Amino acid sequence: MAKFKAECGEIYFEHKGARANPRVLFVHGLGCQLVQWPDSLIDGIVDAGFCAVMCDNRDIGLSDGPPGPAPSVEALLAARDDPSALTPAYTLSDMADDVVALLDHLGQGGAHVVGLSMGGMISQRLAIEHPERVYSLTSIMSSTGNPDLPGPPDEVVGALIGTVSATDPETVIAQSIQAAKVFGGPHYDSEVHGIGRFARVAVERAHRPEGVMRQLGAILAAEDRRAALAELDVPTLVIHGNADPLVPVEAGRDTAAAVPGAKYIEIDKLGHDLSEPVIGEIVEAITTHLRDVEVSR
């Protein structure tokens, strides 16, 4: 097992592709483990001549997290209206520092960074605070933290909360699949085409609901990043689906508008998911973006 030391403890990671090739770091979303990246996405990047590096974010999967209790569901729900009421166990900036520690461990001055959902938020903070380590940024179905953006409806929030409230493994798997179906929207069944396919392997590998709640605390307590993103000089691609019920499409448009020179691709019928019918379009967009970036090596 490949692990490295970060401030929070040990972080688990894996490579795919020739290590001599330019590295692309994939930073996953809330509660997601590296086994929840579709092979078609990772292989598409590798086949294009890059080396993919994936990790379990802190507090999830096989990576360490902090001791102590997680915030309660009630505290997290209250923080939706008043983020200052919640003191998170760690911040998105702390999680961005984990990515820096990974780069240091690999002996890499920088890398292309692809962040999905919460991973997009972490990657934005990485680009803001350590721009010299980010050759390019791809932010997928993520947000700037703009408090004026529309949020998910109550039934979508309820599906998210359901994934951390059960304890029986089979119930957890069923609720994870149901949540993925809700997040994936009406066009592509996540259990067939999306992240819902990986619910069982993820839960059986490591089920850590307290880690999900601490990660959610980091999201809810995060500040608006628009002013800082406006100062970025990092080649940026923003990808968002127009059928996303968890992070509505307005968030993707807002992200692209915040970053100078950002390219924006809106994918028809895509929800908050990596649906197999559109993976090819996503891979093509990312690889075109990466190849447009000149990297001094």
Side-chain angles (χ1 to χ4, degrees):
M1 295 200 326
K3 290 189 174 183
F4 68 94
K5 289 289 291 183
E7 181 274 332
C8 66
E10 291 191 321
I11 300 287
Y12 180 83
F13 74 100
E14 293 181 0
H15 282 92
K16 196 166 190 179
R19 300 189 186 189
N21 289 342
R23 282 184 167 82
V24 182
L25 267 57
F26 286 85
V27 188
H28 223 319
L30 175 69
C32 286
Q33 305 174 46
L34 59 80
V35 295
Q36 291 167 279
W37 288 111
D39 286 342
S40 55
L41 173 62
I42 301 302
D43 290 345
I45 299 299
V46 170
D47 291 346
F50 298 91
C51 176
V53 182
M54 302 141 294
C55 69
D56 289 335
N57 289 320
R58 65 164 66 190
D59 229 2
I60 289 297
L62 305 184
S63 294
D64 290 341
S72 67
V73 170
E74 291 75 19
L76 293 171
L77 291 174
R80 293 179 66 198
D81 298 319
D82 181 12
S84 66
L86 181 67
T87 301
Y90 44 79
T91 66
L92 296 177
S93 292
D94 294 328
M95 300 179 82
D97 288 342
D98 294 341
V99 182
V100 173
L102 174 54
L103 288 170
D104 290 344
H105 176 79
L106 297 172
Q108 293 289 126
H112 301 285
V113 181
V114 177
L116 177 83
S117 194
M118 180 190 73
M121 302 172 195
I122 295 168
S123 300
Q124 290 171 24
R125 284 251 61 101
L126 177 68
I128 291 166
E129 297 171 16
H130 307 278
E132 74 285 355
R133 310 302 294 267
V134 181
Y135 296 155
S136 74
L137 169 65
T138 300
S139 180
I140 305 175
M141 60 187 77
S142 193
S143 175
T144 62
N146 178 354
D148 296 327
L149 289 170
D154 289 345
E155 59 268 25
V156 176
V157 175
L160 175 61
I161 297 301
T163 64
V164 299
S165 59
T167 55
D168 171 70
E170 290 301 319
T171 303
V172 172
I173 291 166
Q175 290 190 335
S176 297
I177 292 171
Q178 179 57 32
K181 286 173 171 283
V182 172
F183 302 158
H187 300 289
Y188 301 117
D189 185 341
S190 189
E191 187 176 9
V192 176
H193 297 293
I195 290 177
R197 293 174 292 171
F198 312 126
R200 179 171 294 278
V201 68
V203 170
E204 291 179 349
R205 181 175 183 256
H207 176 55
R208 299 175 58 185
E210 290 192 347
V212 177
M213 295 168 77
R214 282 189 285 262
Q215 288 186 351
L216 185 54
I219 293 172
L220 292 172
E223 67 274 19
D224 186 344
R225 291 177 293 282
R226 284 177 296 168
L229 289 170
E231 301 298 320
L232 276 191
D233 185 21
V234 173
T236 299
L237 169 67
V238 178
I239 300 173
H240 216 106
N242 64 11
D244 190 330
L246 183 62
V247 183
V249 67
E250 289 85 357
R253 297 168 184 164
D254 181 67
T255 303
V259 181
K263 294 178 285 187
Y264 178 62
I265 294 177
E266 192 166 295
I267 299 182
D268 189 38
K269 298 182 179 179
L270 179 64
H272 199 80
D273 205 350
L274 292 170
S275 302
E276 204 63 40
V278 301
I279 292 290
E281 184 177 352
I282 293 173
V283 168
E284 182 178 2
I286 294 173
T287 54
T288 298
H289 176 56
L290 304 189
R291 287 171 175 153
D292 285 344
V293 177
E294 291 187 12
V295 176
S296 300
R297 300 176 63 85

